[in-house]
Amino acid sequence: MTDYVASVAMHEGTWGTFLEPDPALEDAENLHEMLGIPILSGHHADLTLFQGRNSVFDRIASRSKEVDLAYEDQCSAQHYYDVFSCVEREHGTLTRLVDVGVFMGGSSSVLAGCVEPMGLELDLVDANSVFLQFARERVRRTFPRATMRVRMFHGDLPTYVAKVLRAESGTRALIHHDGAHDFNQVVKDLSSLYFARDRIHGVALQDTHLRGEIGYFNFVDAAVYAMFGVDVKYEALGSRYPQGSPVTQPNQWNGNYFLADTPEGMYVPFDGVEWKYPHSMMELEAFLPVKAPPAG
């Protein structure tokens, strides 16, 4: 993630800005092929498993089923429902949802379903502009009337904090983080939120149960504890998998696997959280990416 940002993404002219939607994508039948996004696992989260619990979520599940689009989701249906439940419970104190690491729009489309009925805005944040365009188009096809309240920011989370959150004093945001999963980058991402903490209600993180090959340093949960202490109060999100289930064994994608009997995600409310890092004398600029020579 860091090398891609420094040597590729930061060299694009749109880095650190809001993107305009590509009108050529509206009629694309094979959207992923047009954008050059491979579909590896083909996993679709079945949101209808949670129908009957909340009328707004019922609408999200129904609309998601109706969209004829090839994609794969990053999260379980349980995770999407639990994040929705956090938003639904807290929406009276929120103005904006921020989806960091959108990939093919699984969480983005769920959050977009909250925009109209709850009177919120949605910012999509990703270092990869292609993923932003795919996610936004998936949102448009699922909730077309919500798109006027949806923006695409090309950048990482620290850059979004520096360029957007710190400049918008009236914002009260709930952040969904499913971007980089390596320890160092997650620490940088969460550290950046310290500098806009008065504008953030809480952060929901995915893949806190993820492990894999050591070179990828997939320790999201350890980053949370480093930031807020080992006794941090959080709400468990998503699925838990029993010992011996297939997903607790390393797979063909970077040897990834899930810790058994461990929640998929965490929701950390910022009300009363104790920051163990960064130090109050540090500056946001220390956590921003540094541009490197272009790849290749």
Side-chain angles (χ1 to χ4, degrees):
M1 178 67 175
T2 303
D3 288 342
Y4 172 80
V5 167
S7 62
V8 178
M10 292 184 73
H11 290 269
E12 297 180 24
T14 55
W15 178 262
T17 68
F18 286 105
L19 302 182
E20 292 294 326
D22 184 352
L25 302 179
E26 292 189 9
D27 297 322
E29 292 186 8
N30 298 310
L31 185 61
H32 70 290
E33 293 180 356
M34 185 173 179
L35 290 171
I37 304 174
I39 294 178
L40 301 176
S41 72
H43 165 64
H44 282 199
D46 185 5
L47 304 183
T48 61
L49 295 173
F50 298 91
Q51 280 190 309
R53 303 187 186 190
N54 181 284
S55 60
V56 176
F57 193 81
D58 286 351
R59 179 172 176 260
I60 294 171
S62 176
R63 289 286 189 88
S64 298
K65 275 285 190 182
E66 293 170 359
V67 173
D68 183 17
L69 185 66
Y71 62 85
E72 64 179 65
D73 290 327
Q74 291 178 292
C75 312
S76 70
Q78 182 72 61
H79 181 83
Y80 292 134
Y81 178 75
D82 288 347
V83 170
F84 164 84
S85 297
C86 289
V87 174
E88 198 277 335
R89 184 182 66 233
E90 310 289 350
H91 79 270
T93 59
L94 301 175
T95 63
R96 178 178 304 160
L97 306 173
V98 183
D99 195 20
V100 181
V102 301
F103 189 46
M104 300 184 81
S107 53
S108 301
S109 57
V110 171
L111 296 176
C114 302
V115 165
E116 282 190 284
M118 300 182 193
L120 302 173
E121 301 171 343
L122 172 61
D123 280 356
L124 311 180
V125 179
D126 204 295
N128 189 317
S129 58
V130 171
F131 292 151
L132 284 169
Q133 292 287 356
F134 187 100
R136 194 266 180 191
E137 179 59 19
R138 181 173 170 184
V139 164
R140 188 193 67 81
R141 297 184 187 196
T142 311
F143 297 103
R145 293 195 305 178
T147 51
M148 66 181 65
R149 297 186 182 183
V150 178
R151 303 187 294 184
M152 298 180 286
F153 184 83
H154 183 208
D156 62 353
L157 183 54
T159 303
Y160 175 80
V161 170
K163 298 273 191 176
V164 181
L165 277 186
R166 289 214 302 186
E168 298 179 347
S169 58
T171 299
R172 188 69 169 163
L174 189 151
I175 313 285
H176 178 250
H177 185 285
D178 191 15
H181 298 113
D182 65 281
F183 177 85
N184 288 351
Q185 186 60 46
V186 178
V187 166
K188 289 179 181 179
D189 288 352
L190 293 178
S191 294
S192 73
L193 299 182
Y194 174 82
F195 300 95
R197 60 194 182 279
D198 60 327
R199 294 159 199 192
I200 300 169
H201 191 74
V203 59
L205 300 104
Q206 205 260 349
D207 274 343
T208 54
H209 63 345
L210 179 66
R211 296 294 186 266
E213 293 177 8
I214 188 59
Y216 295 93
F217 294 99
N218 292 328
F219 301 105
V220 177
D221 53 339
V224 173
Y225 299 135
M227 295 298 304
F228 306 118
V230 295
D231 57 349
V232 58
K233 293 180 174 60
Y234 69 87
E235 178 179 337
L237 304 174
S239 297
R240 298 173 186 253
Y241 300 95
Q243 188 70 49
S245 58
V247 292
T248 63
Q249 305 300 317
N251 63 23
Q252 68 266 43
W253 297 295
N254 305 325
N256 287 340
Y257 66 94
F258 299 146
L259 296 174
D261 303 312
T262 303
E264 180 180 355
M266 299 176 175
Y267 174 65
V268 181
F270 275 18
D271 182 20
V273 75
E274 183 178 355
W275 293 83
K276 303 294 186 180
Y277 189 84
H279 192 281
S280 59
M281 294 180 65
M282 293 180 175
E283 300 289 342
L284 173 59
E285 287 67 27
F287 302 97
L288 294 173
V290 178
K291 197 171 184 178

